[in-house]
Amino acid sequence: MESINAKYVSQKISKTKWRPVSHSDLQLPEIFATGSWDNEDNRISIWSIGSNLSTGMEDGFEGDPQLLCEHKHDGDVLDLQFLDQDRIVTASSTGAVTIFRHHQNSQTISVSQLWARAHRYPCDNAPCTGVVCSSPEIVTVGEDGRIVVFRADQEGVVRVIENADSSTIHAVTYLRTTEILTVNSIGQLKLWDFRQQSNSPSQILSLSGDRVPLHCVDRHPNQQHIVATGGQDGMLCVWDVRQGNTPFSLMEAHTAEMWEVHFHPTNPDHLFTCSEDGSLLHWETSSHSDMPSFLQGGRNSSMVSRSAMAPAGGKQPLISAWLSGDSSKGRLETTHMLPSQTLSVNSLDVLGPCLVCGTDGEAIFVNRQVPV
Amino acid sequence: MEEVDVEPTITNIPAISDGKHMGFAWGPGDILVYETRYKASGASGSGCSFIHEIRKDEDIYSPILRKLFNESHHIFVGLQTIREDLPSKSKKPQFVSISKNYRSVIRACMEELQQVAGNTFENMLLLVSILLAIELIWNLCEVLFIDAAPAGSLLLHLLDWVRLHKADVDEKAREVLQSESPAEHRDYWDVVVSYVLQGRLEEVRQMLVKQANLQPAARSMYKQMDTLLSKMPFYNPGGTQTLTEFDVKWRHWHEEVDRCLQDNSFASNRHLELICKILLGDEDTLLDHKELLGTWYHFLVTRLLFCHPTVKLTELHYYAQSCMTMFLDSRSVPEPLDNILLAAFEFDIHQYCFHCEHVPIPSNGNKPFCPLNVCVMGSVVCLCVYLCFRFLQDYCAKGTFSDLDLIDNLGPAMLLSDRLTFLGKYREFHKLYGEKRFREAAKLLLSLMTAKIAPQSFWMTLLTDALPLLEQKEVIFTADQTYELMFCLEELTSSLNITASSTDRPMQEEDVEVTKVELLRLALARNLAQAIVKEGTVEI
């Protein structure tokens, strides 16, 4: 925890994302982008954490993020993704979707493409709340309950799913190349299959009982049926989308809204969540099976498991572990990653051993030695 | 905290004619204003179709100030969460490090501001000077309140404080040393004397060597001065020498310097003689060099350095007031900053905060810097109240007070918060008891409960303190006072009963509590009987 540095940046950070590292896995992430919110003039900024030193060296001030360039952004930055090494897509509270291009030679940013009214009500704009991309395809969701598909370099809209949701869609993620998952403010996960022509979801999953708004969703990098969500009540839910339509396990993670949840892209036994309560948690399983323990549904001190589903297939040990009633074969460990309570942690991203997060306290924290 | 009375700034709307009434509506960051038709007298006038939007200037410093606000907020939130179970002694280094952290945040902000040049130079100067003052004050507070150094170390800390905030000496020195012949530079002796005043004797010696080389005839005199300078003892807090040993050594050295002066060893060189007099702490000589000292608090620290290096925290205020009076002209009035620092030296927390909040904020029309000051000073008060709470907890745990001298010298600061008042009064009770002034002690103890100065959580401790007074051979509490004590006890026990005897309290703890209450009841009853008898007895 000593290796985490805070940098105060005079803007509330709503989103932060590492630029993807190209080629070999040995390269450590160096560049990240941030988006601000709640300012009269919001901006997107690109930062560098300098040349990468081997993990043996003392970090000190060498990890201090340096601002490379920034650009004005109309409206709050509600989501931000790297389309590729040079281009960033943002979702704005004005309902616009913008592609910014980062010119590495001159260290400047320019607007490459803009869809000004991607999300709208009949007589007003609606905030665009989420964006995912798989170059050149861009999928956005908004408060208007619509799902819009764009292609970079194409001016018009490729496809629209009108009335996808009667409530706000808060986040979207790819499940497979042709399937996406959305979460909304009435606590539902919806699966959409783009191969189908119909405008209705192929599957709907939700928590029974209270309809708590879900704010974030992420898919397990290797096992695409495992999905994690976080919502307004700070609960972390893990779902198996092939089986049933209720979450597999629920964990009391935070004392306030959970804003983001991320599986580690290469070590998916590690999960990260951040919240309005000012904390960033690192969840680590140490089970010996390849099934993370939160899928084993065992009884841990940090878990409040509430599901019991009939086994669909006999192969996985997970259900039998749950049903046989013995204590979980794995352990689930949670660590706080920030040295002390801060204002709301709005966003986090993790790549390799590096973690970056942004807070409402106008600070960016970078940790270059995350134990994964 | 008292409300700050600052005159509101007036902004004229040029486009709205004189005398017209304005209507307005608040916006998210601005205010909309329009001319109405209303006239105080006569027929209503013609309207105007313009709406004016008024908003604050784009403040170019706000990104830098935002960092200051956010970092300060983070530090103070962190302060609240210092682990409760650690003893207060081990929290002190944490407090010191938090304080140092906060100061470095202020310094970083100042440096950034200084880098922002621009048209609004005056504004920036204003802002920087306020931040400088804040940092100066905070640093002093750290030394006096948080670090609360013992005699010996205290002077060293104060010396550091002065050196840190008087950086112009080094600039001048650089200029002199970079010149062709430093010893003949016109500022040479100013630099040397400034170094002496700051107690930086190594630098003095290095400078004097240059002069000695120019005057081979006076070599022996320079050698003698060099020896004197090299032998000045400085207290080493980490060393094995006790304060008394240091004091003895220092006095010997002081006497030696005095001998040199009496012997006229330096009579033929007025500069060296001057240095000699400064080393003796001669007030008149020091006051002759007001421009080099610059401020009365520099004068204070220098005087202490050469007259009384073993000064204690509690003695500071004696010197502070007199130094300020001596230093400032009879014509000049102490500035707000001076009052603030003086209050700090006198541990007059109340006055200190009062002065901080009443600093007349120079407003050049649209930039009140008030909130910055207030929130910083507010944090000092919070810190004090928090520390006070810790003292009380410590007492309950250990039965003794730590840092008694600090509590003994709260002065008017007691009125600042209920907690501080209680702490001060409780300590007074102990003192009265120690001096065997039992009746007064008893009265004070009772008043702590009846006037609700003591928090109820502390009442059991207070009643237990009353026991020895109840058990004395002679009757101390009157019958009325005994009734009042009984009432307090009943109030306490009934409120404890309401919180129910929860099952997780161990049986032993409950037994102890019950026994205590029984003992108290018995003692009170006996005292009441004796008191009634005594008061009812008539001497024939």
Side-chain angles (χ1 to χ4, degrees), chain B residues 190-296:
Chain B
D190 275 350
V191 171
V192 172
V193 173
S194 297
Y195 276 143
V196 177
L197 292 170
Q198 283 191 11
R200 292 164 71 173
L201 301 187
E202 269 309 306
E203 282 94 324
V204 175
R205 291 172 66 199
Q206 282 166 18
M207 294 285 289
L208 284 180
V209 161
K210 300 195 193 301
Q211 191 66 237
N213 289 338
L214 274 188
Q215 303 176 30
R219 183 149 285 171
S220 63
M221 201 167 35
Y222 278 92
K223 187 85 185 69
Q224 198 179 10
M225 176 53 81
D226 187 72
T227 316
L228 275 182
L229 290 168
S230 67
K231 281 170 31 173
M232 176 172 181
F234 278 89
Y235 183 64
N236 179 5
T240 50
Q241 190 186 51
T242 66
L243 194 65
T244 326
E245 285 167 11
F246 162 73
D247 198 33
V248 168
K249 254 189 109 177
W250 184 83
R251 281 180 203 288
H252 277 228
W253 173 84
H254 194 89
E255 276 159 24
E256 200 183 324
V257 178
D258 197 28
R259 268 198 300 276
C260 288
L261 189 67
Q262 303 302 332
D263 288 346
N264 290 322
S265 310
F266 301 112
S268 53
N269 185 322
R270 63 184 178 92
H271 295 288
L272 291 182
E273 194 167 63
L274 172 68
I275 292 176
C276 196
K277 286 190 182 161
I278 294 177
L279 291 177
L280 285 173
D282 182 52
E283 265 168 34
D284 294 323
T285 316
L286 291 179
L287 286 170
D288 278 341
H289 290 87
K290 277 193 197 172
E291 304 100 57
L292 290 182
L293 285 169
T295 60
W296 65 270

Side-chain angles (χ1 to χ4, degrees), chain A residues 8-12 39-41 340-343 360-362 365, chain B residues 29 55 58 62-64 66-67 70-71 73-75 77-78 81:
Chain A
Y8 286 86
V9 295
S10 312
Q11 39 173 327
K12 289 190 192 174
N39 255 352
E40 278 163 18
D41 299 308
S340 61
Q341 207 81 353
T342 64
L343 294 178
D360 266 355
E362 307 193 356
F365 292 84
Chain B
R55 49 196 311 189
E58 186 64 22
S62 67
I64 301 173
R66 277 171 84 155
K67 281 191 218 184
N70 278 293
E71 278 207 75
H73 174 266
H74 187 70
I75 291 172
V77 166
T81 56

Side-chain angles (χ1 to χ4, degrees), chain A residues 202-214:
Chain A
S202 49
Q203 203 181 341
I204 300 183
L205 303 91
S206 68
L207 272 171
S208 57
D210 289 332
R211 304 297 200 100
V212 174
L214 291 175

Side-chain angles (χ1 to χ4, degrees), chain B residues 84-122:
Chain B
E84 302 267 318
D85 47 351
L86 291 175
S88 57
K89 277 277 181 289
S90 63
K91 282 204 205 84
K92 189 158 113 172
Q94 271 185 292
F95 285 147
V96 175
S97 111
I98 286 173
S99 175
K100 286 190 156 68
N101 192 6
Y102 180 62
R103 274 200 296 123
S104 71
V105 167
I106 295 182
R107 281 233 154 216
C109 180
M110 276 192 304
E111 277 163 19
E112 272 200 73
L113 282 174
Q114 282 170 338
Q115 282 171 15
V116 173
N119 301 334
T120 42
F121 189 63
E122 279 154 21

Side-chain angles (χ1 to χ4, degrees), chain A residues 328-350:
Chain A
S328 138
K329 286 189 184 148
R331 284 184 309 120
L332 187 66
E333 241 178 65
T334 326
T335 358
H336 281 274
M337 294 235 64
L338 295 178
S340 61
Q341 207 81 353
T342 64
L343 294 178
S344 172
V345 183
N346 296 326
S347 175
L348 75 99
D349 196 20
V350 59

Side-chain angles (χ1 to χ4, degrees), chain B residues 383-440:
Chain B
L383 193 57
C384 292
V385 175
Y386 178 75
L387 288 170
C388 161
F389 174 64
R390 280 274 160 271
F391 282 139
L392 279 176
Q393 282 209 330
D394 248 19
Y395 174 85
C396 286
K398 294 193 302 206
T400 54
F401 277 113
S402 55
D403 306 344
L404 274 176
D405 51 2
L406 200 55
I407 306 175
D408 279 350
N409 288 280
L410 280 176
M414 281 213 308
L415 301 173
L416 200 55
S417 110
D418 285 348
R419 283 279 147 92
L420 280 172
T421 312
F422 169 64
L423 190 60
K425 290 278 167 206
Y426 191 49
R427 172 72 193 129
E428 208 183 304
F429 163 71
H430 279 271
K431 274 205 280 209
L432 288 171
Y433 190 91
E435 291 162 16
K436 298 204 193 295
R437 290 152 71 180
F438 294 133
R439 289 238 160 70
E440 288 164 61

